Amino acid sequence: MDEIVSRAMQKWPNVPNVFGWLRLDRRGNWLVKSRQSQWGAPVFERIGNAAVIEFIGRNYAHDDAGRWFFQNGPQRVFVTLEYTPLVYRLRGDRESLETHTGRAAEEVRAAWIDDAGMLVLETELGPGVLLDRDLPALLDRIETASGPASEESLAALTAGALPDLTLDFGLRRVPLSAIVAAEIPVRFGFIADPHPAPGEPEC
Protein backbone atom coordinates (compact mmCIF):
# COMPACT_ATOMS: atom_id res chain seq x y z
CA MET A 1 0.00 0.00 0.00
CA ASP A 2 1.27 3.48 -0.85
CA GLU A 3 2.71 5.47 2.05
CA ILE A 4 0.48 8.44 1.22
CA VAL A 5 -2.54 6.15 1.53
CA SER A 6 -1.40 4.79 4.90
CA ARG A 7 -0.94 8.32 6.24
CA ALA A 8 -4.38 9.35 4.99
CA MET A 9 -5.98 6.35 6.73
CA GLN A 10 -4.38 7.35 10.02
CA LYS A 11 -5.40 10.99 9.65
CA TRP A 12 -9.03 10.31 8.63
CA PRO A 13 -9.91 6.86 10.00
CA ASN A 14 -13.70 6.96 9.73
CA VAL A 15 -14.43 8.03 6.15
CA PRO A 16 -17.56 6.23 4.79
CA ASN A 17 -17.00 3.50 2.23
CA VAL A 18 -18.05 3.65 -1.42
CA PHE A 19 -20.06 0.92 -3.15
CA GLY A 20 -21.17 0.46 -6.74
CA TRP A 21 -18.70 2.82 -8.40
CA LEU A 22 -15.81 0.56 -9.43
CA ARG A 23 -15.83 -2.73 -11.32
CA LEU A 24 -13.26 -5.30 -12.45
CA ASP A 25 -14.04 -7.16 -15.66
CA ARG A 26 -12.89 -10.61 -16.78
CA ARG A 27 -9.92 -9.15 -18.64
CA GLY A 28 -8.52 -7.22 -15.68
CA ASN A 29 -9.86 -3.82 -16.75
CA TRP A 30 -11.07 -1.29 -14.18
CA LEU A 31 -14.42 0.31 -14.97
CA VAL A 32 -15.74 3.39 -13.18
CA LYS A 33 -19.33 4.64 -13.07
CA SER A 34 -19.48 7.76 -15.18
CA ARG A 35 -23.18 8.54 -15.39
CA GLN A 36 -26.65 7.09 -15.50
CA SER A 37 -28.46 6.14 -18.67
CA GLN A 38 -31.80 7.69 -19.57
CA TRP A 39 -33.41 4.62 -18.01
CA GLY A 40 -31.58 5.17 -14.73
CA ALA A 41 -29.08 2.32 -15.06
CA PRO A 42 -25.43 3.12 -14.23
CA VAL A 43 -23.03 3.48 -17.16
CA PHE A 44 -19.44 2.34 -16.63
CA GLU A 45 -16.40 3.39 -18.62
CA ARG A 46 -13.00 1.74 -18.77
CA ILE A 47 -10.19 3.55 -16.96
CA GLY A 48 -7.40 4.15 -19.45
CA ASN A 49 -4.98 6.36 -17.53
CA ALA A 50 -1.89 4.25 -16.76
CA ALA A 51 -0.98 6.16 -13.58
CA VAL A 52 -4.50 5.70 -12.17
CA ILE A 53 -4.48 1.99 -13.07
CA GLU A 54 -1.16 1.50 -11.31
CA PHE A 55 -2.34 3.43 -8.24
CA ILE A 56 -5.47 1.29 -7.96
CA GLY A 57 -3.40 -1.87 -8.39
CA ARG A 58 -0.92 -0.97 -5.66
CA ASN A 59 -3.75 -0.31 -3.21
CA TYR A 60 -6.04 -3.24 -4.04
CA ALA A 61 -6.85 -5.59 -1.15
CA HIS A 62 -9.70 -7.37 0.62
CA ASP A 63 -11.30 -7.34 4.04
CA ASP A 64 -12.07 -10.28 6.35
CA ALA A 65 -15.55 -10.65 4.83
CA GLY A 66 -14.11 -11.33 1.37
CA ARG A 67 -14.96 -7.95 -0.10
CA TRP A 68 -12.26 -6.58 -2.41
CA PHE A 69 -11.59 -2.88 -2.45
CA PHE A 70 -9.34 -0.09 -3.66
CA GLN A 71 -7.99 1.97 -0.75
CA ASN A 72 -8.30 5.51 -2.12
CA GLY A 73 -6.60 7.59 0.55
CA PRO A 74 -8.68 7.18 3.71
CA GLN A 75 -11.64 5.74 1.79
CA ARG A 76 -12.36 2.18 0.71
CA VAL A 77 -13.92 1.88 -2.72
CA PHE A 78 -15.42 -1.60 -2.89
CA VAL A 79 -15.13 -3.39 -6.22
CA THR A 80 -17.87 -5.27 -8.06
CA LEU A 81 -16.26 -8.33 -9.65
CA GLU A 82 -17.42 -9.57 -13.02
CA TYR A 83 -15.83 -12.92 -12.21
CA THR A 84 -12.82 -13.37 -9.91
CA PRO A 85 -10.92 -10.83 -7.76
CA LEU A 86 -7.71 -11.41 -9.74
CA VAL A 87 -7.03 -11.88 -13.43
CA TYR A 88 -3.83 -13.75 -14.21
CA ARG A 89 -1.75 -13.30 -17.34
CA LEU A 90 1.49 -14.78 -18.65
CA ARG A 91 4.56 -12.64 -18.13
CA GLY A 92 7.04 -11.87 -20.87
CA ASP A 93 9.00 -15.07 -20.28
CA ARG A 94 5.80 -17.09 -20.94
CA GLU A 95 6.83 -19.30 -18.00
CA SER A 96 5.41 -17.31 -15.08
CA LEU A 97 2.26 -15.45 -14.11
CA GLU A 98 1.32 -12.06 -12.80
CA THR A 99 -1.96 -10.53 -11.72
CA HIS A 100 -3.79 -7.74 -13.53
CA THR A 101 -2.23 -5.43 -10.92
CA GLY A 102 1.28 -6.46 -11.95
CA ARG A 103 2.15 -8.65 -8.94
CA ALA A 104 4.21 -11.74 -9.76
CA ALA A 105 2.78 -15.08 -8.62
CA GLU A 106 5.36 -17.41 -7.10
CA GLU A 107 3.37 -20.65 -6.89
CA VAL A 108 0.43 -22.06 -8.82
CA ARG A 109 -1.27 -24.27 -6.24
CA ALA A 110 -4.29 -25.63 -8.11
CA ALA A 111 -6.18 -25.17 -11.36
CA TRP A 112 -9.73 -25.66 -12.61
CA ILE A 113 -11.59 -25.58 -15.91
CA ASP A 114 -14.98 -23.92 -15.48
CA ASP A 115 -18.17 -24.78 -17.35
CA ALA A 116 -17.38 -22.13 -19.99
CA GLY A 117 -13.93 -23.58 -20.67
CA MET A 118 -11.99 -20.86 -18.83
CA LEU A 119 -8.96 -21.65 -16.69
CA VAL A 120 -9.16 -20.63 -13.02
CA LEU A 121 -5.96 -20.61 -10.98
CA GLU A 122 -5.12 -20.37 -7.31
CA THR A 123 -1.76 -18.95 -6.25
CA GLU A 124 -0.44 -17.52 -2.99
CA LEU A 125 -2.02 -14.21 -4.10
CA GLY A 126 -5.54 -15.61 -4.36
CA PRO A 127 -7.96 -16.97 -6.96
CA GLY A 128 -8.15 -15.63 -10.47
CA VAL A 129 -9.22 -16.41 -14.01
CA LEU A 130 -6.57 -16.61 -16.71
CA LEU A 131 -6.69 -13.83 -19.29
CA ASP A 132 -8.47 -15.24 -22.33
CA ARG A 133 -5.69 -14.39 -24.78
CA ASP A 134 -3.27 -16.59 -22.77
CA LEU A 135 -5.64 -19.54 -22.54
CA PRO A 136 -4.38 -21.44 -25.63
CA ALA A 137 -0.80 -21.35 -24.33
CA LEU A 138 -1.74 -23.01 -21.03
CA LEU A 139 -4.22 -25.44 -22.54
CA ASP A 140 -1.27 -26.85 -24.48
CA ARG A 141 0.38 -27.65 -21.12
CA ILE A 142 -2.44 -29.86 -19.85
CA GLU A 143 -1.36 -33.49 -19.68
CA THR A 144 -2.56 -36.96 -18.78
CA ALA A 145 -0.40 -39.63 -17.20
CA SER A 146 0.56 -40.82 -20.68
CA GLY A 147 1.14 -37.50 -22.46
CA PRO A 148 -0.61 -34.38 -23.79
CA ALA A 149 -4.33 -34.18 -23.09
CA SER A 150 -6.75 -34.61 -25.96
CA GLU A 151 -9.63 -32.30 -26.80
CA GLU A 152 -11.93 -35.12 -25.72
CA SER A 153 -10.33 -35.18 -22.24
CA LEU A 154 -10.79 -31.42 -21.84
CA ALA A 155 -14.38 -31.63 -23.07
CA ALA A 156 -15.06 -34.43 -20.60
CA LEU A 157 -13.65 -32.37 -17.74
CA THR A 158 -15.76 -29.34 -18.69
CA ALA A 159 -18.82 -31.61 -18.84
CA GLY A 160 -18.18 -32.77 -15.28
CA ALA A 161 -16.28 -36.00 -15.83
CA LEU A 162 -13.04 -36.54 -13.93
CA PRO A 163 -10.18 -37.55 -16.24
CA ASP A 164 -6.78 -37.54 -14.57
CA LEU A 165 -5.36 -34.24 -15.84
CA THR A 166 -2.57 -31.96 -14.66
CA LEU A 167 -1.28 -28.55 -15.70
CA ASP A 168 2.45 -28.63 -16.38
CA PHE A 169 3.60 -25.24 -15.16
CA GLY A 170 7.13 -24.33 -14.20
CA LEU A 171 8.64 -27.10 -12.11
CA ARG A 172 5.29 -28.44 -10.94
CA ARG A 173 2.43 -30.50 -12.24
CA VAL A 174 -0.69 -28.89 -10.82
CA PRO A 175 -3.88 -30.97 -10.42
CA LEU A 176 -6.62 -29.85 -12.81
CA SER A 177 -10.27 -30.21 -11.81
CA ALA A 178 -13.67 -29.06 -13.01
CA ILE A 179 -15.63 -26.24 -11.38
CA VAL A 180 -18.92 -24.45 -12.02
CA ALA A 181 -18.45 -20.71 -12.45
CA ALA A 182 -21.42 -19.86 -10.24
CA GLU A 183 -19.81 -21.75 -7.34
CA ILE A 184 -16.49 -19.91 -7.45
CA PRO A 185 -17.29 -17.06 -5.00
CA VAL A 186 -18.36 -19.54 -2.33
CA ARG A 187 -15.49 -21.92 -3.08
CA PHE A 188 -12.91 -19.15 -2.62
CA GLY A 189 -14.70 -17.06 -0.01
CA PHE A 190 -15.12 -13.74 -1.80
CA ILE A 191 -18.10 -11.47 -2.44
CA ALA A 192 -18.54 -10.56 -6.10
CA ASP A 193 -21.04 -7.74 -5.52
CA PRO A 194 -20.27 -6.16 -2.15
CA HIS A 195 -22.81 -4.08 -0.30
CA PRO A 196 -22.60 -2.25 3.03
CA ALA A 197 -23.21 -4.34 6.12
CA PRO A 198 -26.28 -3.46 8.19
CA GLY A 199 -25.64 -0.11 9.84
CA GLU A 200 -22.46 0.52 7.84
CA PRO A 201 -22.31 4.08 6.50
CA GLU A 202 -21.59 4.66 2.83
CA CYS A 203 -21.17 7.49 0.37
Side-chain angles (χ1 to χ4, degrees), residues 93-116:
D93 61 5
R94 311 299 287 175
E95 296 294 332
S96 57
L97 294 170
E98 66 182 13
T99 68
H100 68 283
T101 64
R103 294 185 65 189
E106 300 294 333
E107 179 187 10
V108 179
R109 296 174 175 171
W112 296 261
I113 294 283
D114 72 10
D115 43 334

Side-chain angles (χ1 to χ4, degrees), residues 18-23 32-33 42 44 77-80 193-194 202:
V18 175
F19 295 85
W21 278 84
L22 188 63
R23 291 185 175 181
V32 65
K33 185 166 72 172
F44 286 81
V77 180
F78 283 94
V79 179
T80 300
D193 187 14
E202 64 170 313

Side-chain angles (χ1 to χ4, degrees), residues 34 81 87 93 125 131 139 147 149-151 154 160 173 186 192:
S34 60
L81 306 171
V87 177
D93 61 5
L125 301 177
L131 184 62
L139 290 181
S150 64
E151 291 186 8
L154 294 176
R173 285 195 170 189
V186 173

Side-chain angles (χ1 to χ4, degrees), residues 158-172:
T158 303
L162 296 175
D164 185 16
L165 299 178
T166 58
L167 175 64
D168 187 4
F169 195 83
L171 300 176
R172 296 191 62 208

